[in-house]
Amino acid sequence: MYKEIGWGELLVFCGLFMGLTGFSGDLQGSTDLQIETVSLERLRADTRLDAKRITIKSEQHRVTLGGAAATLEDKYLAERIVGSTITGIKSINNVIQVVPTSKQDREIEVEAQTVIKTDTELKDTSIKVEVNKGIVRLTGEVRSYSQILKSIDLVASIKGVQNVVSGLKISVQQISDETINLEVATYLEWSPLVDAKLIHVSVQNGVVHLTGKVNQLMHVNTVVNDISDLLGVVGVVPTLEVQG
């Protein structure tokens, strides 16, 4: 049995997969100007991307990231850096534009195939790559949801990639939605990051939908990644608001 996960469900996770280290700023109760200043300093201090052309605007603790980035990976890396290391932010709207390059589709296709086949986690998968005007489509079968996220992150790091569309299918063990729901509920009950009473869980065809409230935006990353690893889960769609 397999499930196919569309890009609409995956888009929110493209900025959630990789871990972050270092700075943690507590801006609870701060002003929008302080959030903008600290967020910009945090981006420019990170050596993994060039943040000179990225802009930040905060209104009532709701942040909008704008400007330009060299790669799709840099676009979502900026979101991960701000969302996972600075508290007090209620939401992030990422409208950073990926700057087009002159790289040909065939060059992107070869590079994408190479990064997938040389990755230890993905080398045994049957992922196929198609490129049209910088938009990469991935098809084939993988063993887990984390492999989908990994393949997207790798391809998004290639210069010239404008977007990544996933048509990847997951070969999964037959597990009922009821069983998955119970496993997720148990995880949330024991998680020190969230209040399980404030989160509603529903599962449809292996896709876990989370609605409710969390204390910090950064906690969503950990919860999504942990639930993604549960047996039978083929996707996680979080619609979680920050309290206060």
Side-chain angles (χ1 to χ4, degrees):
M1 177 184 178
Y2 60 78
K3 302 292 184 181
E4 181 170 353
I5 307 301
W7 176 245
E9 294 174 351
L10 283 167
L11 182 60
V12 69
F13 302 117
C14 199
L16 300 179
F17 183 63
M18 294 184 180
L20 294 168
T21 59
F23 177 89
S24 179
D26 188 352
L27 297 178
Q28 196 72 37
S30 62
T31 66
D32 285 321
L33 179 59
Q34 288 173 317
I35 289 179
E36 293 172 359
T37 302
V38 174
S39 297
L40 195 58
E41 289 178 353
R42 178 64 183 89
L43 287 176
R44 291 180 175 175
D46 198 294
T47 58
R48 292 173 294 175
L49 81 165
D50 182 1
K52 294 179 181 178
R53 294 182 293 174
I54 295 177
T55 63
I56 299 177
K57 180 65 177 177
S58 178
E59 295 183 355
Q60 297 181 342
H61 289 202
R62 300 184 185 278
V63 173
T64 298
L65 299 177
T71 66
L72 187 63
E73 181 189 42
D74 284 352
K75 171 178 177 173
Y76 288 108
L77 176 58
E79 182 176 333
R80 292 197 296 271
I81 291 171
V82 174
S84 297
T85 61
I86 299 173
T87 61
I89 295 175
K90 294 182 178 179
S91 64
I92 297 179
N93 181 27
N94 190 347
V95 294
I96 295 174
Q97 297 294 313
V98 179
V99 179
T101 70
S102 58
K103 185 176 290 188
Q104 299 296 312
D105 286 346
R106 179 55 183 166
E107 294 179 84
I108 296 175
E109 180 181 330
V110 171
E111 191 170 348
Q113 291 172 337
T114 300
V115 297
I116 290 174
K117 290 302 180 183
T118 56
D119 183 82
T120 55
E121 185 180 347
L122 301 174
K123 63 181 181 180
D124 295 328
T125 60
S126 59
I127 298 177
K128 297 179 181 179
V129 180
E130 299 176 72
V131 185
N132 183 21
K133 296 181 180 179
I135 299 176
V136 179
R137 177 171 172 80
L138 303 176
T139 56
E141 292 189 17
V142 294
R143 296 183 301 276
S144 67
Y145 189 62
S146 62
Q147 286 187 330
I148 291 182
L149 300 178
K150 183 66 176 294
S151 63
I152 289 175
D153 273 335
L154 286 175
V155 174
S157 68
I158 299 172
K159 289 186 178 180
V161 173
Q162 301 300 305
N163 205 346
V164 183
V165 179
S166 174
L168 294 170
K169 301 172 182 178
I170 305 175
S171 298
V172 295
Q173 182 178 343
Q174 181 75 42
I175 296 179
S176 68
D177 289 343
E178 291 76 12
T179 300
I180 296 174
N181 198 316
L182 180 59
E183 291 294 324
V184 174
T186 301
Y187 163 79
L188 293 175
E189 189 68 32
W190 286 94
S191 174
L193 301 179
V194 297
D195 184 349
K197 297 184 182 65
L198 300 179
I199 299 179
H200 174 71
V201 180
S202 64
V203 184
Q204 298 177 351
N205 298 322
V207 179
V208 179
H209 297 262
L210 304 173
T211 57
K213 296 181 180 294
V214 294
N215 291 324
Q216 299 294 342
L217 185 64
M218 66 177 65
H219 294 165
V220 177
N221 293 16
T222 303
V223 170
V224 168
N225 286 332
D226 288 347
I227 292 177
S228 297
D229 289 333
L230 295 177
L231 193 61
V233 172
V234 298
V236 185
V237 180
T239 309
L240 300 170
E241 299 179 354
V242 179
Q243 291 195 92

